[in-house]
Every structure is written in C-alpha cells, then in structure tokens.
Amino acid sequence: MRKQIAMMIALTVSLFGIGLTFSGVEAAEGPQLEIYGFTQLDAIYDFKKTDPDWEATLRPSKIPVECAGLTADPGCGLKNGNTLFSVRQSRFGAKADFPTDAGQIQTKFEFDLFGVGADQGQTTIRLRHAYGEWGPFLAGQTNSLFMDGDVFPNIVDYWGPGGMVFFRNIQFRWTPLKTEQQKFAVALENPGSALDVGNAATPEGWKSWNRYPDVTAQYRVDPAWGHAQLAGIGRWLGYQNPTIPTGRNSGHVFGGGANLSGSLKTIGKDKLLAQVAYGRGIAAYFNDYCTDLAPNGALTEAEAVPLLGWLVYYDHYWSERWSSTIGYSTQRQNNTGGQSDNAFKDGAYASGNLLWYPTKEVLMGVEVLWGQRENKNGDKGDDTRMQFSAKYNF
C-alpha cells in the first residue's frame, strides 16, 4: 500500500514537470526531487556531569574541570548522574536534480534540530547543507574540503570523535578532476577563528579578524580496498582591538595544516577508519573545541596554536541485522606561554556500541562513551555515559 501511494503521488506531481523519488519506487523522468530524513530518540545517562547546554552529546571540552572562582566551568556544582531524552538528531532534507541548457544542476538543503551557538541546549533548526552544484563548480554550505566525512564511524552519538576534522563550511569549490577512482578539488572557504586572550597584557576588546578567505585543497583515491585522502589548508588569521586607538592594535599570522585519512576494507562489510591531522591555527575545522590564536609568551602578540588530532575506529558487522563499532580519538594542542592555566589542552574520546537493524528503515542500539578533558596546568575531568537510540528513516 505504501508503495502504491508513493507511485500515485509521484505520478500526480510529474504532471507539473517534477519527479519525486521514494525509497523502492522508480523515479519519473525529468527534474527529480528527493525528500529524505529520519526521526531519532536518544536516551542518555551520564554517570558524572557535563555542561548542561551540551548534555545531548559528549564533547570532552565541555566536561567541567575548573570549579573555583569566576572562571568556573559550566556544570560545576551539579550532582553526578543525569538522565536526558533528546530528539535533536532528527533530520530533514531535500535534493533536487534537474537539467538545464547549460548542463545538469544538483542542489541540496538539509537541517537537523541540534541547536548550537546562541541556540545551544535547545531543540531548534540547525542548517547542515545548503548548496548547488553545476559541472565542476559548487557554491554554498557543505563539508569542507579539509574534512573526510567517510571516516566518521558508525556510532549513535551526535558530535562524534573530538580529534576528527569535521566542519561544514560556506565555500566556492572547483573540482577539475572527478572520476570513479580519483578526485581533486580546491575551494575558497568562509574564514573564522577562535581567539583566546589568555593572559594578554590588555585582554579586553580583542577580536578575531578575517581579511582573506581560507584556501583548501583535497586529493582522493577510491581503489577496491577502500579510500585514501590528503587535504591541506592555508589561513590568514587576524586579530584586532578597536578600543586601542594607537600603537599595535592589530596583527596577522599564517596558519595551515594537512589531514591524511582513509578507510581499509577488511572482512565482509567491515572497515578500519583512520585520520591524522596536524597544523597551526586550524582548530576551527576540528570536531571539538580548541583555539586558533592565543597570546605569545611576551603577551604582546598572538600566535597560531599547534594542534594534533587523530582517530582510529573499526566498524564490524556481525550480520545483516547487527553491527558494532569501537574506537578512540584525541586532539591535543600545544598551549602558548600566554594562555591561562585553565586553558583546554587535551581531549580524549572513546566509544563502543551494539546496533540492531530489524529493517533497513529502523535502527536501535546501545552505546557506551567515555571522555576526558585536560587543562594546561594538568588538571583533568572525565565523564562516562550510556546512550540508547532509536532511529526511523523515511
């Protein structure tokens, strides 16, 4: 009955020159519109505590460590043990594919309900993708070229490994080489940096300054054994203080780095996933919080902070109905001499799960996660949690 209804809708809409694509239904000819998404419930129990605005996912940087004075971390003073039910991972998207006199055009618009920024802690619309692609040119918001989305493991935690390069950015991309086995692309991406004023001589009024776009490039191969990708980035990181009328009230430093990632097919559908990335001033592209710029030891200028992030995960499929994933990730920055003692230094993330697929439209499973945060002065905090998720695709 569901298939018959879908075919009737597709036939009706095709009268207006648009074909709708449904799972298991042959698409009509001409312009195509695909609607997709899922609803997901996450039932989470924290054995310790984290920032209340981020309790729907595990981010090591949001684990409270410093709990004294005016710099106390969010979550300090809360009792250990907390239960949360969340639907923030639920997602809705649409893809359109249509011909023109100048060639085929593909577009994508997708959002979920995981509030961030001013909406952190709320169940509200969050844009994921909004872009169009014509020939070798792409414009809009989607995965950065510095990122490899195919090394994101088969887990149910929303944010995922902190040491992974993971950033959907606004960009203009050119892909001069694209075949079934290799791809090369370059892009200009929206700049943005995290500035830590730390112990600067004049901490008030400093802001990041983005005079030029970020430049990214990616080369990828897809042989029979898996895939491998090498990406690079160059950034011009600026800082300024409009409250200082004279003297040195601004500056620029260069940042950049490389990201090597890939997957290796092993037995059946099993895969080994890995990534290692290193650079200076590249924190904005990482999954969990670090900082791009911080005061130098003399407290008079900013410098790009070195950062290393990596992950190793293994996706195992017991059968068509059951799978498990286990792995570890970390990101570590070399703090500058001008950063405060409570500045974030190292974040560790580990998880393992057991997932069940009663049908291809349904996923249910349990995941155990552990995270740890370490500050510049060596103080540490950790959290362990258990998560049950139920996901229904449409």
Side-chain angles (χ1 to χ4, degrees), residues 177-332:
L177 173 63
K178 187 175 183 180
T179 68
E180 291 185 359
Q181 293 190 334
Q182 60 179 333
K183 182 179 76 171
F184 174 73
V186 294
L188 297 178
E189 303 199 18
N190 184 50
S193 56
L195 174 64
D196 179 8
V197 298
N199 297 318
T202 54
E204 297 81 12
W206 288 102
K207 299 179 180 180
S208 59
W209 174 26
N210 306 305
R211 172 177 283 183
Y212 306 112
D214 294 345
V215 180
T216 56
Q218 177 193 109
Y219 178 71
R220 173 179 172 128
V221 293
D222 289 271
W225 50 262
H227 85 278
Q229 178 175 304
L230 177 63
I233 186 171
R235 316 185 69 201
W236 290 265
L237 304 169
Y239 54 98
Q240 60 181 329
N241 192 338
T243 66
I244 301 177
T246 59
R248 188 170 182 82
N249 62 357
S250 65
H252 268 98
V253 297
F254 182 77
N259 181 18
L260 178 63
S261 58
S263 63
L264 176 65
K265 298 177 182 178
T266 56
I267 303 172
K269 294 171 58 180
D270 290 12
K271 289 189 297 184
L272 177 67
L273 310 170
Q275 174 229 279
V276 58
Y278 178 80
R280 291 176 176 269
I282 60 173
Y285 286 77
F286 273 75
N287 209 7
D288 200 12
Y289 171 81
C290 286
T291 190
D292 295 292
L293 289 169
N296 60 10
L299 306 180
T300 57
E301 297 180 356
E303 63 179 273
V305 181
L307 175 60
L308 171 69
W310 60 272
L311 68 88
V312 175
Y313 264 82
Y314 190 79
D315 290 340
H316 174 64
Y317 292 84
W318 305 97
S319 67
E320 292 185 359
R321 303 291 188 188
W322 295 89
S323 74
S324 291
T325 294
I326 188 170
Y328 181 85
S329 175
T330 187
Q331 77 272 29
R332 186 178 187 87

Side-chain angles (χ1 to χ4, degrees), residues 98-169:
F98 53 94
T100 72
D101 293 340
Q104 202 77 4
I105 293 178
Q106 296 89 35
T107 61
K108 183 176 182 178
F109 181 85
E110 180 183 296
F111 63 86
D112 60 28
L113 303 178
F114 204 102
V116 298
D119 295 325
Q120 64 183 26
Q122 301 182 41
T123 304
T124 187
I125 291 177
R126 180 198 186 203
L127 182 66
R128 292 170 56 88
H129 300 276
Y131 68 88
E133 191 169 10
W134 170 64
F137 301 107
L138 179 149
Q141 176 173 308
T142 190
N143 294 349
S144 167
L145 282 183
F146 194 52
M147 164 186 167
D148 183 355
D150 289 332
V151 299
F152 194 91
N154 186 30
I155 60 178
V156 293
D157 176 43
Y158 178 77
W159 216 256
M164 180 180 176
V165 173
F166 193 113
F167 188 41
R168 290 181 289 268
N169 203 7

Side-chain angles (χ1 to χ4, degrees), residues 36-85:
Y36 65 94
F38 59 81
T39 62
Q40 181 166 332
L41 165 71
D42 297 323
I44 298 168
Y45 182 78
D46 266 316
F47 288 90
K48 290 189 176 180
K49 54 194 174 185
T50 187
D51 182 341
D53 285 339
W54 289 92
E55 59 190 0
T57 189
L58 182 61
R59 295 183 62 185
S61 67
K62 301 301 179 180
I63 297 172
V65 176
E66 176 63 44
C67 290
L70 298 176
T71 59
D73 297 325
C76 287
L78 299 177
K79 298 294 184 181
N80 287 339
N82 182 67
T83 297
L84 172 72
F85 280 32

